Short mmCIF file of all heavy atoms in Angstrom, two decimals:
data_model
loop_
_atom_site.label_atom_id
_atom_site.label_comp_id
_atom_site.label_asym_id
_atom_site.label_seq_id
_atom_site.Cartn_x
_atom_site.Cartn_y
_atom_site.Cartn_z
N PRO F 796 -10.49 -9.21 10.30
CA PRO F 796 -9.61 -9.64 11.39
C PRO F 796 -8.16 -9.23 11.11
O PRO F 796 -7.69 -9.29 9.97
CB PRO F 796 -9.76 -11.16 11.38
CG PRO F 796 -11.08 -11.42 10.71
CD PRO F 796 -11.24 -10.33 9.71
N GLU F 797 -7.47 -8.82 12.17
CA GLU F 797 -6.08 -8.39 12.02
C GLU F 797 -5.20 -9.51 11.49
O GLU F 797 -4.25 -9.28 10.75
CB GLU F 797 -5.54 -7.89 13.36
CG GLU F 797 -6.19 -6.62 13.87
CD GLU F 797 -5.80 -5.40 13.04
OE1 GLU F 797 -4.75 -5.46 12.37
OE2 GLU F 797 -6.55 -4.41 13.06
N SER F 798 -5.49 -10.75 11.86
CA SER F 798 -4.69 -11.88 11.39
C SER F 798 -4.85 -12.09 9.88
O SER F 798 -3.93 -12.55 9.20
CB SER F 798 -5.11 -13.16 12.12
OG SER F 798 -6.50 -13.41 11.93
N GLU F 799 -6.00 -11.71 9.33
CA GLU F 799 -6.24 -11.88 7.90
C GLU F 799 -5.64 -10.74 7.09
O GLU F 799 -5.20 -10.94 5.96
CB GLU F 799 -7.75 -11.96 7.65
CG GLU F 799 -8.12 -12.11 6.19
CD GLU F 799 -9.62 -12.13 5.99
OE1 GLU F 799 -10.34 -12.49 6.95
OE2 GLU F 799 -10.08 -11.78 4.89
N MET F 800 -5.63 -9.54 7.62
CA MET F 800 -5.16 -8.37 6.89
C MET F 800 -4.36 -7.46 7.82
O MET F 800 -4.84 -6.43 8.27
CB MET F 800 -6.34 -7.61 6.29
CG MET F 800 -5.96 -6.49 5.34
SD MET F 800 -5.15 -7.04 3.85
CE MET F 800 -6.46 -8.05 3.14
N PRO F 801 -3.09 -7.84 8.14
CA PRO F 801 -2.33 -7.03 9.08
C PRO F 801 -1.88 -5.69 8.51
O PRO F 801 -1.80 -4.70 9.22
CB PRO F 801 -1.13 -7.92 9.41
CG PRO F 801 -0.99 -8.83 8.23
CD PRO F 801 -2.37 -9.04 7.72
N HIS F 802 -1.57 -5.64 7.19
CA HIS F 802 -1.05 -4.41 6.59
C HIS F 802 -1.75 -4.17 5.25
O HIS F 802 -1.22 -4.52 4.18
CB HIS F 802 0.46 -4.50 6.38
CG HIS F 802 1.21 -4.76 7.65
ND1 HIS F 802 1.34 -3.82 8.65
CD2 HIS F 802 1.88 -5.87 8.07
CE1 HIS F 802 2.05 -4.33 9.64
NE2 HIS F 802 2.40 -5.57 9.31
N PRO F 803 -2.93 -3.56 5.25
CA PRO F 803 -3.67 -3.36 3.99
C PRO F 803 -2.94 -2.46 3.00
O PRO F 803 -3.08 -2.62 1.79
CB PRO F 803 -5.00 -2.74 4.44
CG PRO F 803 -4.73 -2.18 5.80
CD PRO F 803 -3.70 -3.07 6.42
N THR F 804 -2.15 -1.49 3.49
CA THR F 804 -1.44 -0.61 2.56
C THR F 804 -0.43 -1.41 1.74
O THR F 804 -0.26 -1.16 0.53
CB THR F 804 -0.73 0.52 3.33
OG1 THR F 804 0.12 -0.05 4.33
CG2 THR F 804 -1.73 1.44 3.98
N GLU F 805 0.26 -2.34 2.38
CA GLU F 805 1.23 -3.16 1.64
C GLU F 805 0.53 -4.02 0.60
O GLU F 805 1.04 -4.22 -0.51
CB GLU F 805 2.00 -4.05 2.63
CG GLU F 805 2.91 -3.29 3.58
CD GLU F 805 4.19 -2.82 2.88
OE1 GLU F 805 4.41 -3.21 1.72
OE2 GLU F 805 4.95 -2.07 3.51
N VAL F 806 -0.66 -4.53 0.94
CA VAL F 806 -1.39 -5.39 0.01
C VAL F 806 -1.74 -4.62 -1.26
O VAL F 806 -1.54 -5.12 -2.39
CB VAL F 806 -2.68 -5.93 0.69
CG1 VAL F 806 -3.55 -6.65 -0.33
CG2 VAL F 806 -2.31 -6.86 1.83
N LEU F 807 -2.23 -3.39 -1.12
CA LEU F 807 -2.62 -2.62 -2.29
C LEU F 807 -1.41 -2.16 -3.10
O LEU F 807 -1.45 -2.14 -4.34
CB LEU F 807 -3.46 -1.42 -1.88
CG LEU F 807 -4.85 -1.74 -1.30
CD1 LEU F 807 -5.62 -0.46 -1.05
CD2 LEU F 807 -5.63 -2.65 -2.22
N MET F 808 -0.33 -1.79 -2.44
CA MET F 808 0.85 -1.34 -3.19
C MET F 808 1.48 -2.49 -3.96
O MET F 808 2.00 -2.30 -5.07
CB MET F 808 1.87 -0.69 -2.25
CG MET F 808 1.39 0.62 -1.66
SD MET F 808 2.68 1.59 -0.85
CE MET F 808 3.55 2.30 -2.26
N ASP F 809 1.41 -3.69 -3.41
CA ASP F 809 1.95 -4.84 -4.12
C ASP F 809 1.15 -5.14 -5.39
O ASP F 809 1.68 -5.72 -6.34
CB ASP F 809 1.97 -6.07 -3.21
CG ASP F 809 3.02 -5.95 -2.10
OD1 ASP F 809 3.91 -5.10 -2.23
OD2 ASP F 809 2.93 -6.70 -1.11
N GLN F 810 -0.12 -4.76 -5.40
CA GLN F 810 -0.95 -5.01 -6.58
C GLN F 810 -0.56 -4.13 -7.77
O GLN F 810 -0.99 -4.40 -8.90
CB GLN F 810 -2.43 -4.80 -6.24
CG GLN F 810 -3.01 -5.83 -5.30
CD GLN F 810 -4.50 -5.66 -5.12
OE1 GLN F 810 -5.19 -5.08 -5.96
NE2 GLN F 810 -5.03 -6.17 -4.02
N MET F 811 0.23 -3.08 -7.55
CA MET F 811 0.61 -2.22 -8.66
C MET F 811 1.69 -2.85 -9.54
O MET F 811 1.95 -2.36 -10.65
CB MET F 811 1.07 -0.86 -8.13
CG MET F 811 -0.01 -0.12 -7.38
SD MET F 811 0.39 1.61 -7.06
CE MET F 811 0.15 2.36 -8.66
N GLY F 812 2.33 -3.91 -9.06
CA GLY F 812 3.26 -4.64 -9.90
C GLY F 812 4.71 -4.27 -9.67
O GLY F 812 5.03 -3.15 -9.28
N SER F 813 5.59 -5.24 -9.95
CA SER F 813 7.03 -5.04 -9.73
C SER F 813 7.64 -4.06 -10.73
O SER F 813 8.69 -3.47 -10.46
CB SER F 813 7.75 -6.39 -9.83
OG SER F 813 7.52 -6.99 -11.10
N ALA F 814 7.02 -3.87 -11.90
CA ALA F 814 7.57 -2.95 -12.90
C ALA F 814 7.61 -1.52 -12.39
O ALA F 814 8.39 -0.69 -12.87
CB ALA F 814 6.77 -3.03 -14.18
N LEU F 815 6.77 -1.20 -11.39
CA LEU F 815 6.71 0.16 -10.86
C LEU F 815 7.56 0.34 -9.60
O LEU F 815 7.54 1.42 -9.01
CB LEU F 815 5.27 0.55 -10.54
CG LEU F 815 4.34 0.66 -11.74
CD1 LEU F 815 2.90 0.82 -11.28
CD2 LEU F 815 4.74 1.82 -12.62
N SER F 816 8.29 -0.68 -9.21
CA SER F 816 9.04 -0.60 -7.96
C SER F 816 10.02 0.56 -7.97
O SER F 816 9.98 1.45 -7.12
CB SER F 816 9.78 -1.92 -7.72
OG SER F 816 10.58 -1.83 -6.56
N ASP F 817 10.94 0.58 -8.93
CA ASP F 817 11.91 1.67 -9.00
C ASP F 817 11.31 2.93 -9.61
O ASP F 817 11.74 4.04 -9.32
CB ASP F 817 13.13 1.25 -9.81
CG ASP F 817 14.03 0.30 -9.03
OD1 ASP F 817 13.90 0.26 -7.80
OD2 ASP F 817 14.85 -0.39 -9.66
N ARG F 818 10.32 2.78 -10.47
CA ARG F 818 9.74 3.94 -11.12
C ARG F 818 8.94 4.80 -10.15
O ARG F 818 8.93 6.02 -10.24
CB ARG F 818 8.82 3.49 -12.26
CG ARG F 818 9.53 2.98 -13.51
CD ARG F 818 8.49 2.49 -14.49
NE ARG F 818 8.99 2.27 -15.83
CZ ARG F 818 9.22 1.06 -16.34
NH1 ARG F 818 9.00 -0.02 -15.61
NH2 ARG F 818 9.66 0.94 -17.59
N LEU F 819 8.23 4.17 -9.20
CA LEU F 819 7.26 4.93 -8.40
C LEU F 819 7.18 4.52 -6.93
O LEU F 819 6.98 5.37 -6.07
CB LEU F 819 5.87 4.79 -9.04
CG LEU F 819 4.70 5.52 -8.39
CD1 LEU F 819 4.92 7.03 -8.42
CD2 LEU F 819 3.39 5.16 -9.09
N LEU F 820 7.31 3.23 -6.63
CA LEU F 820 6.94 2.73 -5.31
C LEU F 820 8.07 2.72 -4.29
O LEU F 820 7.81 2.63 -3.09
CB LEU F 820 6.39 1.30 -5.44
CG LEU F 820 5.21 1.12 -6.40
CD1 LEU F 820 4.77 -0.34 -6.42
CD2 LEU F 820 4.05 2.02 -6.00
N LYS F 821 9.30 2.80 -4.73
CA LYS F 821 10.42 2.64 -3.81
C LYS F 821 10.54 3.82 -2.86
O LYS F 821 10.31 4.97 -3.25
CB LYS F 821 11.72 2.46 -4.60
CG LYS F 821 12.89 1.99 -3.75
CD LYS F 821 14.08 1.65 -4.63
CE LYS F 821 15.23 1.10 -3.79
NZ LYS F 821 16.38 0.76 -4.65
N ASN F 822 10.91 3.53 -1.62
CA ASN F 822 11.14 4.56 -0.60
C ASN F 822 9.93 5.45 -0.35
O ASN F 822 10.02 6.66 -0.31
CB ASN F 822 12.35 5.43 -0.96
CG ASN F 822 13.64 4.65 -0.97
OD1 ASN F 822 13.77 3.63 -0.29
ND2 ASN F 822 14.59 5.09 -1.76
N LYS F 823 8.78 4.83 -0.20
CA LYS F 823 7.55 5.55 0.15
C LYS F 823 7.08 5.06 1.51
O LYS F 823 5.98 4.55 1.67
CB LYS F 823 6.46 5.32 -0.91
CG LYS F 823 6.86 5.72 -2.33
CD LYS F 823 7.12 7.21 -2.43
CE LYS F 823 7.33 7.66 -3.87
NZ LYS F 823 8.49 7.07 -4.53
N GLY F 824 7.96 5.20 2.51
CA GLY F 824 7.69 4.64 3.83
C GLY F 824 6.44 5.19 4.48
O GLY F 824 5.64 4.44 5.05
N ALA F 825 6.23 6.51 4.41
CA ALA F 825 5.05 7.10 5.05
C ALA F 825 3.77 6.65 4.37
O ALA F 825 2.75 6.45 5.02
CB ALA F 825 5.16 8.63 5.04
N PHE F 826 3.81 6.49 3.05
CA PHE F 826 2.62 6.06 2.34
C PHE F 826 2.30 4.60 2.65
O PHE F 826 1.13 4.19 2.64
CB PHE F 826 2.83 6.24 0.83
CG PHE F 826 1.56 6.29 0.03
CD1 PHE F 826 0.87 7.48 -0.13
CD2 PHE F 826 1.03 5.15 -0.55
CE1 PHE F 826 -0.30 7.54 -0.86
CE2 PHE F 826 -0.14 5.20 -1.29
CZ PHE F 826 -0.81 6.39 -1.44
N ARG F 827 3.33 3.81 2.93
CA ARG F 827 3.13 2.39 3.25
C ARG F 827 2.74 2.17 4.72
O ARG F 827 2.35 1.07 5.09
CB ARG F 827 4.41 1.61 2.98
CG ARG F 827 4.74 1.45 1.50
CD ARG F 827 6.03 0.67 1.33
NE ARG F 827 6.36 0.43 -0.05
CZ ARG F 827 5.96 -0.62 -0.76
NH1 ARG F 827 5.22 -1.55 -0.18
NH2 ARG F 827 6.30 -0.75 -2.03
N ALA F 828 2.88 3.19 5.54
CA ALA F 828 2.65 3.02 6.98
C ALA F 828 1.20 2.58 7.25
O ALA F 828 0.29 2.79 6.44
CB ALA F 828 2.96 4.31 7.71
N ASP F 829 1.01 1.99 8.42
CA ASP F 829 -0.34 1.56 8.81
C ASP F 829 -1.28 2.75 8.89
O ASP F 829 -0.88 3.88 9.21
CB ASP F 829 -0.28 0.85 10.17
CG ASP F 829 0.45 -0.49 10.08
OD1 ASP F 829 0.54 -1.04 8.97
OD2 ASP F 829 0.95 -0.96 11.12
N LEU F 830 -2.54 2.48 8.62
CA LEU F 830 -3.55 3.55 8.63
C LEU F 830 -3.82 4.02 10.05
O LEU F 830 -3.99 3.21 10.97
CB LEU F 830 -4.85 3.04 8.01
CG LEU F 830 -4.80 2.67 6.52
CD1 LEU F 830 -6.13 2.05 6.11
CD2 LEU F 830 -4.49 3.88 5.66
N PRO F 831 -3.91 5.34 10.25
CA PRO F 831 -4.33 5.85 11.56
C PRO F 831 -5.85 5.76 11.67
O PRO F 831 -6.55 5.39 10.73
CB PRO F 831 -3.85 7.30 11.53
CG PRO F 831 -3.95 7.68 10.09
CD PRO F 831 -3.61 6.44 9.30
N ASP F 832 -6.37 6.13 12.84
CA ASP F 832 -7.81 6.14 13.01
C ASP F 832 -8.42 7.19 12.08
O ASP F 832 -8.01 8.35 12.05
CB ASP F 832 -8.16 6.48 14.47
CG ASP F 832 -9.65 6.30 14.73
OD1 ASP F 832 -10.21 5.30 14.26
OD2 ASP F 832 -10.25 7.18 15.39
N GLY F 833 -9.40 6.76 11.29
CA GLY F 833 -10.01 7.64 10.30
C GLY F 833 -9.29 7.65 8.97
O GLY F 833 -9.74 8.32 8.03
N GLY F 834 -8.19 6.92 8.85
CA GLY F 834 -7.45 6.90 7.60
C GLY F 834 -8.01 5.88 6.62
O GLY F 834 -8.64 4.90 7.01
N PHE F 835 -7.78 6.12 5.34
CA PHE F 835 -8.23 5.18 4.32
C PHE F 835 -7.19 5.09 3.21
O PHE F 835 -6.37 6.01 3.02
CB PHE F 835 -9.58 5.60 3.72
CG PHE F 835 -9.51 6.78 2.80
CD1 PHE F 835 -9.27 6.62 1.42
CD2 PHE F 835 -9.69 8.07 3.28
CE1 PHE F 835 -9.19 7.70 0.57
CE2 PHE F 835 -9.62 9.17 2.43
CZ PHE F 835 -9.37 8.98 1.07
N ILE F 836 -7.23 4.01 2.48
CA ILE F 836 -6.43 3.86 1.26
C ILE F 836 -7.28 3.06 0.28
O ILE F 836 -7.89 2.05 0.65
CB ILE F 836 -5.08 3.17 1.54
CG1 ILE F 836 -4.24 3.12 0.25
CG2 ILE F 836 -5.25 1.78 2.13
CD1 ILE F 836 -2.80 2.72 0.48
N VAL F 837 -7.34 3.55 -0.96
CA VAL F 837 -8.18 2.91 -1.96
C VAL F 837 -7.41 2.75 -3.26
O VAL F 837 -6.50 3.53 -3.57
CB VAL F 837 -9.48 3.70 -2.23
CG1 VAL F 837 -10.34 3.75 -0.99
CG2 VAL F 837 -9.17 5.10 -2.73
N LEU F 838 -7.80 1.75 -4.02
CA LEU F 838 -7.26 1.49 -5.36
C LEU F 838 -8.32 1.90 -6.37
O LEU F 838 -9.46 1.41 -6.33
CB LEU F 838 -6.90 0.02 -5.52
CG LEU F 838 -6.32 -0.42 -6.86
CD1 LEU F 838 -4.90 0.12 -7.02
CD2 LEU F 838 -6.31 -1.95 -6.96
N THR F 839 -7.97 2.82 -7.27
CA THR F 839 -8.92 3.31 -8.26
C THR F 839 -8.36 3.13 -9.67
O THR F 839 -7.17 2.86 -9.85
CB THR F 839 -9.23 4.81 -8.04
OG1 THR F 839 -8.08 5.59 -8.38
CG2 THR F 839 -9.64 5.08 -6.60
N GLY F 840 -9.22 3.29 -10.64
CA GLY F 840 -8.82 3.25 -12.04
C GLY F 840 -8.89 4.64 -12.65
O GLY F 840 -8.82 5.65 -11.94
N GLY F 841 -9.04 4.70 -13.96
CA GLY F 841 -9.16 5.98 -14.63
C GLY F 841 -7.83 6.66 -14.86
O GLY F 841 -6.77 6.03 -14.86
#
């Protein structure tokens, strides 16, 4: 439901931690944007 997960990209980026904010995550507006039709975003390891 949209009410439960309005912005999934923000949820996953927040999981990377505040230590990476200035190192990697800051000013990545297009990457944070809502997913288009057919778009995906995943969190992986390795």
Side-chain angles (χ1 to χ4, degrees):
E797 293 290 338
S798 58
E799 179 182 335
M800 188 65 62
H802 302 290
T804 54
E805 293 284 352
V806 172
L807 293 185
M808 292 193 77
D809 290 343
Q810 291 187 23
M811 299 192 75
S813 59
L815 294 171
S816 176
D817 285 342
R818 286 176 166 105
L819 181 63
L820 304 180
K821 193 172 183 180
N822 295 334
K823 303 296 188 297
F826 200 85
R827 290 179 177 271
D829 291 338
L830 295 174
D832 189 42
F835 73 89
I836 184 169
V837 296
L838 180 71
T839 70

